[in-house]
Amino acid sequence: MTEPSATTRNRNRRGQGSRLRDELVTAASGLLEDLDGQEALSLRAVARAARVAPQSVYLHFADKRELLTAVYRLRFGELRTALETTLEPLPETATAERLSALCHAFVDYGVSHPGHYRVLFGTAGTPGWEPTEGQLPGLPTMDLLVDTAAAAGAPDPAATAQCLWAGMHGLITLRQDRPSFPWLPLDRLVDALVSAHLAAAR
């Protein structure tokens, strides 16, 4: 990835500091799509990608960890919105259909947004982060999957949600890493994954 120099960027007008913050988050997210992990990300590289001086990053983020949290919050927010939008037209009573739709939407997001998906699930998290919504912005998305699994009758909704997540992640990443394998249609595989868990719940 070619990074433009800081001198090519026009300054934001006074009072548009939030715009720079958003640009820094977007720049960091873009870099993470190509890096091997979040450990390889540097604040200096983010500054270059956003075409600002390195000191500008510290006006909005105290350290890399704070910037990464903002990136994950942005991308997980997009994923959760996509999942909630899928569930909106479905009645609460259609519990099995809702779980199936949620899983299809998750896989569709991963396939349609491979870069964003890599940021969320292809970069290693930072050890020691507290499992709170503030530090792990993906928890509300997992809670949505747990709640939907519970409504569908899963006796251990947390276990079902985590197994479904692992299965969906495998479908997304293996299809990308092994494109020459004679994969069955993706919708068929997702249906089989969800049906197996619903059958076990019954």
Side-chain angles (χ1 to χ4, degrees):
M1 177 180 291
T2 302
E3 295 175 353
S5 64
T7 58
T8 62
R9 183 184 186 279
N10 294 325
R11 289 186 176 182
N12 288 326
R13 295 180 180 178
R14 180 171 298 184
Q16 292 185 334
S18 60
R19 177 181 173 185
L20 173 57
R21 186 184 190 280
D22 293 342
E23 291 173 353
L24 291 170
V25 171
T26 299
S29 181
L31 290 172
L32 284 170
E33 293 181 14
D34 297 326
L35 296 174
D36 290 335
Q38 57 90 8
E39 299 89 352
L41 183 71
S42 70
L43 295 182
R44 186 172 295 275
V46 173
R48 284 198 300 269
R51 301 190 295 276
V52 298
Q55 302 92 307
S56 299
V57 180
Y58 291 100
L59 296 176
H60 299 276
F61 303 100
D63 50 30
K64 187 172 75 171
R65 176 169 168 166
E66 190 173 296
L67 173 59
L68 285 170
T69 300
V71 170
Y72 296 142
R73 184 174 292 115
L74 169 67
R75 294 302 177 214
F76 272 115
E78 292 172 347
L79 173 58
R80 184 176 172 88
T81 296
L83 299 181
E84 290 176 334
T85 300
T86 296
L87 292 180
E88 282 178 0
L90 301 176
E92 295 287 343
T93 54
T95 55
E97 185 180 357
R98 287 172 65 85
L99 182 61
S100 178
L102 192 69
C103 291
H104 277 279
F106 183 96
V107 172
D108 182 67
Y109 179 91
V111 172
S112 302
H113 303 86
H116 293 173
Y117 187 85
R118 174 176 166 76
V119 170
L120 294 179
F121 302 109
T123 55
T126 300
W129 283 17
E130 295 296 326
T132 63
E133 183 176 335
Q135 294 197 13
L136 295 180
L139 284 181
T141 303
M142 176 57 69
D143 289 342
L144 179 61
L145 183 56
V146 172
D147 292 343
T148 307
D156 189 344
T160 295
Q162 291 187 21
C163 286
L164 284 172
W165 173 33
M168 293 185 293
H169 181 70
L171 290 178
I172 294 167
T173 57
L174 282 173
R175 287 175 66 91
Q176 293 173 347
D177 295 341
R178 297 292 183 271
S180 60
F181 182 81
W183 292 101
L184 295 173
L186 190 56
D187 284 348
R188 181 176 168 186
L189 294 174
V190 176
D191 285 340
L193 179 67
V194 177
S195 296
H197 283 282
L198 289 178
R202 299 189 185 99

